[in-house]
Amino acid sequence: MTELLPRPFAVDHPEIRALDATALDARPGAVLLARSPFYPGGGGQLPDRGTIAWNGIVRDIVGFEPTADGIWHLIGDDAIPDGTIELRVDAAFRQRMCEQHTVAHLVNSAVYTLFDGALLTGVRMTDSDEFSADFDLPKVAPEQLRAVEHAVNAAIADDRPVTTFDMDYDAAQATAGLFRAKSVAPPRQADGLIRIVDIDGLDRQACGGTHLVSTARARRIRILKVDNKGRQNRRFRIGLGAA
C-alpha cells in the first residue's frame, strides 16, 4: 500500500515564504522538518527554490524528499544542519509557479467547457514566461484556440477570487468535473479528504499545488502554438504577459 503523505504546509500558506523551524532529524546533506514554507513539487509544478541557514551557514536547497513525518530538505554537501533552521523561499520563483498553476486551471476550464469535457493529460510548468498543457483532443481549429484564449483572458480581467476547501475523497470522485486529468489525480489525504481549488463562479477541481489569491494577479496569455503529440493529444504552448 502506498504511504499517504501529509499535505505540505506551503499548500495552505502560499503567502508565507520565510519560516524558522526546528529539525526533527538530520543527516549529512539533509534535514527533516515537520513544517516548511517550501513546496516540494508535484502535479506539473516545479519544486520551490531558496535557501536554508543555521549557525551562520547558508546553503541553497537542491531537492526534497517528502515522508510521512515531514519533508527532508537536501543541501548538496555533507553539512549537518542543526539548531534553529532558517528557511527562505525564492519569492519570484514561487510567484511564477502560482501564476502558471492558476492560469493552467483557467486554460483547463476553458478547454473542458469548449471541447465537451476534454481531459487534461499533463502540465509542464517552467522557470520562464511560457509553459504547456496537454489535452485529450484529436484536433483544434484556429477559431477554437481564439475562443480558449479569450475565455482565459476574460477570467483574468474578471478578478475572480481563488479559494480552497477540503472534501471527502469518494464524494469528490462521484462529482462530475472535479477530477480533470485523464490518467492521474491528486492522492487521497491521510484523513480521507482531498483539496479542491475553487475559482469563483468559474471552475472547481481537485488540486494539490499553490495558486494566486485572485485571477487578476495573473498576466494575460497568448496560446503560442499547438503541437500534435499523438493521435489524441494536443500540447498547448502558453505565453504569459500578452499585450
Side-chain angles (χ1 to χ4, degrees), residues 7-22 31-41 45-53 61 64 70-73 85-91 93-95 97-98 208-211:
R7 191 154 83 192
F9 174 84
V11 166
D12 295 313
H13 305 281
E15 76 288 355
I16 296 179
R17 299 172 187 185
L19 195 66
D20 292 348
T22 302
V31 60
L32 177 65
L33 301 169
R35 194 172 75 153
S36 168
F38 285 90
Y39 180 71
Q45 182 172 334
L46 299 176
D48 276 331
R49 299 172 181 175
T51 61
I52 182 171
I61 298 288
F64 302 95
I71 300 175
W72 283 95
H73 294 57
I85 310 295
E86 300 174 10
L87 304 158
R88 301 292 181 268
V89 174
D90 182 325
F93 185 79
R94 164 68 68 78
Q95 175 67 19
M97 291 298 99
C98 289
T210 64
H211 301 80

Side-chain angles (χ1 to χ4, degrees), residues 107-158:
V107 174
N108 190 349
S109 175
V111 170
Y112 187 80
T113 301
L114 295 169
F115 291 88
D116 299 320
L119 295 177
L120 183 77
T121 57
V123 174
R124 294 163 184 81
M125 300 182 203
T126 75
D127 60 0
S128 73
D129 283 338
E130 297 180 13
F131 72 100
S132 66
D134 293 7
F135 294 94
D136 182 25
L137 288 171
K139 59 183 179 180
V140 182
E143 62 271 19
Q144 291 174 308
L145 282 185
R146 289 192 291 272
V148 170
E149 200 174 88
H150 174 77
V152 172
N153 286 328
I156 290 170
D158 284 345

